Amino acid sequence: MKFHTAVLHAGKKELEKFGATLPPIYQSSAFEQENAENLAGIFENKAPGYCYTRVANPTVTAFEMRITKLENGMASVACASGMAAIANAFLNILQSGDEIVTSASLYGGTIDLFRDLEAFGIHTIFVENNNWSAFKQAINEHTKLIFAETIGNPGLDVTDIKSLAELAHSYAVPFIVDNTTATSYLVRPLELGADIVINSSSKYINGNSSAISGILTDSGHFKWSREKYPILGEYLKYGPMAYISRMRATVFRNFGACLSPQNAFLNLIGLETLGLRMERQCENALGLALWIQEHYPELSVNFPGLKSSPWHEIAGKQLKNGYGAIFTLRAGSREKAFVLINHLKIALKVSNIGDTKTLVIHPASTISLHSTQKQKEDAGVYDDLIRVSVGIEDLEDLTEDFRQAIESMKKE
């Protein structure tokens, strides 16, 4: 199926019992079985079925199956948030003494997670994105995974997925990529060689800020070894399903960061219009960024879709259907940034992205607040930076809103 068809129909196992056109919300914490033997089989992972929503739920399964198809993966696990999905993806294969090598251009919350992992003896090395010599220098015998974002948030650098995947595999480590800002509408990282793709489905997949969630999808292609990944141990007998099997049986089940059936349902509704929304949002982002660049060049607009972006070439080569729906601009000072933000009337002051509505924030005082000064600089976060997540409004209304806000800022 092509994309717009797949978001509506992919991943269905069978006709719903009563003919419902959307998966029902199984708002139940536990599920009864016909006999004790069936329940025992489910707990022992020897029989299909559902026993407890923390472990699995039919509505959540429907969401997982559709994302698996859209990402062209083998299996997915949906979690309570994007951060929960990242944490599960890492802790499923890492233990004390292991190291992560990652692009330094990351969402502030992910940087915070790396700091928290230090308490478990897991160390992270940050390097400049697409700097292959820096990546090679950082990789050693303790490196167990490489991580990056498809489009850095809010740095907006575009990762060369194919090249980084090839580099990771040359050292026999998996490449995990966060595809939240691009979504499978713009690129399918697994098709370019990534091993595991993560989406904070609270963003573009949901589309209207009605549910927090995250989901990871395994390609099933990485060759796990007992020597390098002893934590997978007994699960290697499952071959391509080793990674997901261990996660289902241990980390995901025991940490308890499960997705609620209601939120899975809301994601399924949002998912149906993902392609249509992304098409409109990418067009609006390009139009608004070009307009600001033309009329207010002093604001230094950063967007992969602009020819002035150092990431324009790789973005055009790798991304399909657009350049993303986020751009940043620099107001000249923190005070000016706040004045500009406060004068916007249509754009909402919200620390989310991917909403149908246009959202603006000041990253240095919000999503990157806890990062060190160096981490902020490496991630492209400056004190005068404004991040704009463009929605589906009429472009003419957005340009007028930014015009009056920028003019008000200049007057003040």
Side-chain angles (χ1 to χ4, degrees):
M1 296 179 185
K2 294 188 181 297
F3 191 87
H4 294 291
T5 307
V7 293
L8 297 170
H9 301 288
K12 290 183 179 179
K13 282 197 304 184
E14 55 191 26
L15 187 67
E16 200 277 324
K17 183 177 180 180
F18 297 105
T21 57
L22 283 169
I25 305 173
Y26 288 89
Q27 195 64 43
S28 177
S29 59
F31 299 86
E32 184 186 15
Q33 298 300 317
E34 186 177 356
N35 52 56
E37 288 79 7
N38 285 359
L39 190 59
I42 294 171
F43 266 82
E44 292 173 348
N45 299 316
K46 294 181 179 179
Y50 298 92
C51 59
Y52 197 57
T53 285
R54 172 166 58 81
V55 180
N57 177 282
T59 312
V60 177
T61 298
F63 174 55
E64 291 170 340
M65 292 178 65
R66 190 155 299 175
I67 292 295
T68 299
K69 291 292 185 180
L70 290 178
E71 292 289 358
N72 198 19
M74 183 188 63
S76 298
V77 176
C79 306
S81 68
M83 292 309 305
I86 293 175
N88 273 276
F90 292 171
L91 296 177
N92 194 45
I93 54 175
L94 299 179
Q95 53 189 347
S96 181
D98 290 343
E99 292 186 359
I100 301 167
V101 175
T102 180
S103 161
S105 182
L106 298 174
Y107 165 61
T110 306
I111 295 174
D112 293 343
L113 172 64
F114 286 131
R115 184 167 54 246
D116 293 335
L117 292 177
E118 294 282 350
F120 298 92
I122 299 169
H123 181 59
T124 302
I125 301 172
F126 297 89
V127 299
E128 180 185 8
N129 200 10
N130 293 352
N131 185 332
W132 312 127
S133 61
F135 269 100
K136 291 176 182 177
Q137 186 175 356
I139 297 171
N140 58 52
E141 68 273 17
H142 301 294
T143 304
K144 294 299 173 66
L145 68 88
I146 292 178
F147 180 76
E149 295 177 358
T150 306
I151 305 175
N153 176 18
L156 302 182
D157 49 306
V158 181
T159 299
D160 186 337
I161 296 173
K162 184 177 181 180
S163 296
L164 191 50
E166 290 175 352
L167 177 66
H169 297 158
S170 71
Y171 289 91
V173 297
F175 174 37
I176 300 179
V177 60
D178 185 332
N179 199 35
T180 298
T181 50
T183 78
S184 56
Y185 177 72
L186 296 184
V187 62
R188 288 174 170 171
L190 301 183
E191 294 181 350
L192 296 177
D195 299 292
I196 295 157
V197 61
I198 298 170
N199 284 279
S200 175
S201 40
S202 319
K203 312 300 190 294
Y204 293 99
I205 289 173
N206 174 267
N208 55 35
S209 300
S210 64
I212 295 292
S213 58
I215 188 163
L216 62 94
T217 305
D218 181 17
S219 70
H221 295 152
F222 189 76
K223 306 300 182 184
W224 305 99
S225 72
R226 187 179 302 272
E227 294 73 27
K228 199 172 185 71
Y229 298 94
I231 198 169
L232 287 177
E234 61 183 289
Y235 299 93
L236 294 177
K237 63 187 177 184
Y238 297 114
M241 282 295 291
Y243 180 87
I244 290 293
S245 294
R246 181 181 190 274
M247 181 175 292
R248 286 285 187 192
T250 60
V251 176
F252 173 75
R253 178 192 297 251
N254 298 332
F255 281 18
C258 58
L259 178 59
S260 74
Q262 178 69 48
N263 284 358
F265 179 78
L266 293 172
N267 288 343
L268 283 163
I269 294 175
L271 193 57
E272 293 192 343
T273 59
L274 174 60
L276 298 175
R277 287 184 284 106
M278 282 297 290
E279 180 179 15
R280 171 79 173 202
Q281 287 171 287
C282 289
E283 290 177 355
N284 274 355
L286 178 59
L288 186 55
L290 283 168
W291 184 87
I292 295 174
Q293 184 182 63
E294 178 184 353
H295 291 84
Y296 302 99
E298 70 275 13
L299 293 181
S300 183
V301 181
N302 179 27
F303 180 61
L306 299 177
K307 293 182 180 179
S308 57
S309 168
W311 312 102
H312 183 70
E313 184 178 351
I314 181 63
K317 176 183 176 182
Q318 182 171 268
L319 304 178
K320 311 298 180 184
N321 309 313
Y323 294 91
I326 300 172
F327 70 85
T328 62
L329 55 88
R330 298 185 64 176
S333 69
R334 177 188 175 104
E335 291 73 24
K336 288 182 179 179
F338 276 37
V339 170
L340 195 161
I341 290 172
N342 290 339
H343 275 90
L344 289 168
K345 298 176 181 179
I346 293 177
L348 306 179
K349 293 171 276 295
V350 174
S351 62
N352 197 15
I353 61 172
D355 198 290
T356 50
K357 297 168 281 295
T358 296
L359 315 175
V360 295
I361 61 164
H362 177 251
S365 62
T366 54
I367 60 173
S368 298
L369 176 63
H370 304 295
S371 298
T372 66
Q373 187 58 37
K374 185 178 187 313
Q375 287 172 336
K376 289 179 182 178
E377 292 174 1
D378 290 343
V381 177
Y382 305 97
D383 219 28
D384 65 340
L385 188 79
I386 298 172
R387 187 190 72 184
V388 184
S389 173
V390 184
I392 64 173
E393 299 95 343
D394 288 302
L395 181 58
E396 294 80 2
D397 291 327
L398 292 176
T399 54
E400 172 57 25
D401 193 25
F402 274 83
R403 184 203 63 77
Q404 63 83 24
I406 294 169
E407 291 297 333
S408 297
M409 176 194 72
K410 291 170 70 175
K411 289 179 182 178
E412 291 196 21

